[in-house]
Amino acid sequence: MALSVSSAKLSTGVEDDKMQEAFVFPKFVVMGHRGFGMNMLQSPDEKMKSVKENSILSFNAAADFPIEFVEFDVQVTRDGCPVIFHDNFIFTQEQGVIIEKRVTEMALHEFFSYGPQKDGANVNPMFRKTKDGRIFQWNVAKDDPLCTLKDAFVKVKSSQGFNIELKFDDNIVYGEEELRQTLENILKVVDEHAENRPIIFSSFHPDAAQLIRKLQISYPVFFLTNGGCEIYADVRRNSLDEAIKICKEGGLQGIVSEAKAILRTPNAITRVKDSKLSLISYGQLNNVVEVVYLQYMMGVEGVIADMVMEISEAIASIEVRSEEDDEEDDGRKCLILLGEENKKVRISNDAIAFLTKFVPKTTLFVQQ
Amino acid sequence: MALRTVLVADVPSLPDSVYGLSEGLDMSKPTSFKMPGFSVIGHRGNGMNVLQSSDRRTRGFKENSILSFNSAAKFPIDFIEFDVQVTKDDFPVIFHDDFIYSQENGIINESRVTDLRLSEFLLYGPQKEAEKIGKTLMRKSKEGQVLKWDVDSDDPLCTLQEAFERVEQSLGFNIELKFDDKIVYEREFLVHVLRTVLQVVFDYAKDRPVIFSSFQPDAAQLVRELQSTYPVYFLTDAGNQMYKDERRNSLEEAIKVCLEGKLQGIVSEVKGVFRNPSAIAKIKESNLSLLTYGKLNNVGEAVYMQYVMGIEGVIVDFVEEISESVTLMMIRPPSPSSPLPSSASKDDVAIARPEFSQKEIDFLLKLLSQLIQH
């Protein structure tokens, strides 16, 4: 396991300057998005509908590949139990009508009543609403029951790291007391069951991210941002520079950003590193091998991806060579060899410099 | 104006040197055409106008005007591109939009260009005679906003004949034959319009290089049937938008249109090419020339990639910037009329023209095609 226990846990009760020690991943990390990849029911791609996202089955399937963490979303039920689910609402059918129920307003036993049961029955099948308002039956090739955060600690391979995203509704303004209560419920489960498992906390909610850091310093905390790909009322959510501020103010360890935001302004990577913060990315672009290679070359420290198999294998086959080692050196600066043995592509510093200038201009021009 | 059939035999023979080809065009075989070196082509002269843009460069010169054409001629470019439509009384004029807008007493008036007579058309915008005030020219944006067509350097509307007479003689013209994408045209009508345009071209072109192009598949094939002096290109947006006419919807369809009609090449929206780089090989195998247009052509790196990929020319808005970076990249050798900027050092040249291996280029292209799709 790449992260040793001592790097994942910082000693408790230490003064400020020790807490500001930069957190660094020992090598480029690949994290499985919601386990073995999110479900996208409207996609023609079968891979986006193969294993139920955010399930024990998905987490253990991802653990078979050379990845360091699985990422998943945690919310807390009405009766205080942290569960793993992405959407704010569960869609279900009652007397032929599709209705929505807020996860945080249901008790645990009701949450468990939805979707496939442990005995295989599926009395209350789940539906899902896409961003454009269409409703689909939540059918996947390999289904699995809903689970709690505790279930994950107990049933998932113990060497698999967890990137625990603290999920909140982007449209709700939460009071500090409510946030604290929710985070304390989650921390209770983590403290009881984490043992030696590497753990990272993350959140899009700026106050929640800063609060979880105040409540504990054992595990690194990352601030999630889409870096301006969408604009929110809370300006702290709207750019990479705002994200850097949140991290510095709150003593957070790093940023998880939408890949597009990073590609649009590659010099933000330097600003993040200069602030002694770690930088990883998420988003659909991370399922494209070449885009992941590009981020690797630009200095991003890791990616959250759905295509766990393809991306983890692509990263595993990167070889870095310096000028002296390279027999085929034709006089150009040589940096990285990418790809499988018979398809190695040598990418020079010139190519990286070219791409760094070029890529931001392409993503800008895409919306014409 | 009496209609005159333009017989192949009537066509004035052009000096062989016009395209740098030693044989000129041989009418007996499907003629292939190669641009002389890598060409930079000025879009609507010195660049199209985008009235709602924050970039001042898109509101410099009035697009499609003699002033714009002659200012573009100062740079090392081979052709300018512009749009030709024919007025109700059979005069080819230079204007891009299907409709022309003016504002009088707070009311917006809309007229179809091809429904106007020449004298009516020329009433819009600044007038040639200093004392005359023309109709206030407005323009409707894609989003439906009607704005005053304000630019830094304005100029009156002009005819195709005036362009031939008043624009720098050595500058080639890429004449886009403009039709309304939503109208289905009868062959007879197209023939009449095209002959009207061709009459002006043959009367006034003299030694000037000319290329015809059109998004309208029938018009493109027809202008080739009607004359074989000048090369004809089929314009396509390569699938960025879907049209009822299948022939407009992909590069593969465009190749078919060219082969069926014995056209010389394709002008494609640039993203369509980057999204589908394997189409380039098919285009070359069919002995067709390939040019591109689109906003991405205003990015120097995108132009360099296309040069490396074997594309023969780019239509650009930022004529000064792109012709300069093309010179800097040594894509065209510097010449007395366009020397390397004296400020350029050896390092500038090295950075501007990186040397890539074929595998690196394949990687760059794969990356680009993915980024464009997202």
Side-chain angles (χ1 to χ4, degrees), chain A residues 27-31 62-69 160 308-309 311-316:
Chain A
K27 67 179 178 71
F28 191 85
V29 294
V30 179
M31 300 191 184
D64 284 341
F65 294 93
I67 63 169
E68 287 72 30
F69 290 82
Q160 180 70 273
V308 169
M309 176 170 81
I311 301 301
S312 62
E313 280 173 6
I315 295 300

Side-chain angles (χ1 to χ4, degrees), chain B residues 102-114:
Chain B
S102 66
Q103 183 170 268
E104 260 174 278
N105 305 323
I107 303 178
I108 308 279
N109 298 309
E110 166 188 291
S111 295
R112 188 180 276 282
V113 171
T114 51

Side-chain angles (χ1 to χ4, degrees), chain A residues 260 263 284-285 288-291 293-294 297 332 338 342-351 354-355 357-359 361-363 365-368, chain B residues 142 269-271 274 294-296 298-305 350-352 354-357 359-360 363-364 366-368 370-374:
Chain A
K260 273 193 229 166
L263 293 177
Q284 287 298 313
L285 275 175
V288 179
V289 168
E290 288 80 13
V291 179
Y293 281 151
L294 177 61
M297 294 187 288
R332 298 181 308 139
L338 311 167
N342 51 351
K343 290 200 237 155
K344 290 260 182 228
V345 180
R346 175 184 297 104
I347 303 294
S348 61
N349 279 335
D350 282 352
F354 183 86
L355 280 170
K357 265 196 297 170
F358 190 16
V359 166
K361 300 175 192 172
T362 59
T363 55
F365 283 105
V366 162
Q367 308 93 16
Q368 269 190 54
Chain B
K142 252 188 249 177
E269 211 282 340
V270 57
K271 290 188 319 223
F274 278 132
K295 288 204 175 108
L296 195 50
N298 295 318
V299 176
E301 290 85 7
V303 171
Y304 182 73
M305 292 269 5
I351 293 167
E355 299 283 338
F356 294 141
S357 69
K359 282 211 187 131
E360 271 175 314
F363 176 85
L364 290 173
K366 253 201 285 178
L367 180 64
L368 247 187
Q370 292 291 339
L371 285 176
I372 287 176
Q373 281 178 68
H374 285 79

Side-chain angles (χ1 to χ4, degrees), chain B residues 50 88 101 126 135 169 177 216 282 286 309 324 356:
Chain B
V50 183
K88 193 147 166 197
Y101 294 84
K135 295 192 189 175
Q169 287 298 319
L177 307 157
Q216 227 285 358
K282 287 200 215 104
S286 312
M309 284 154 81
E324 200 176 278
F356 294 141

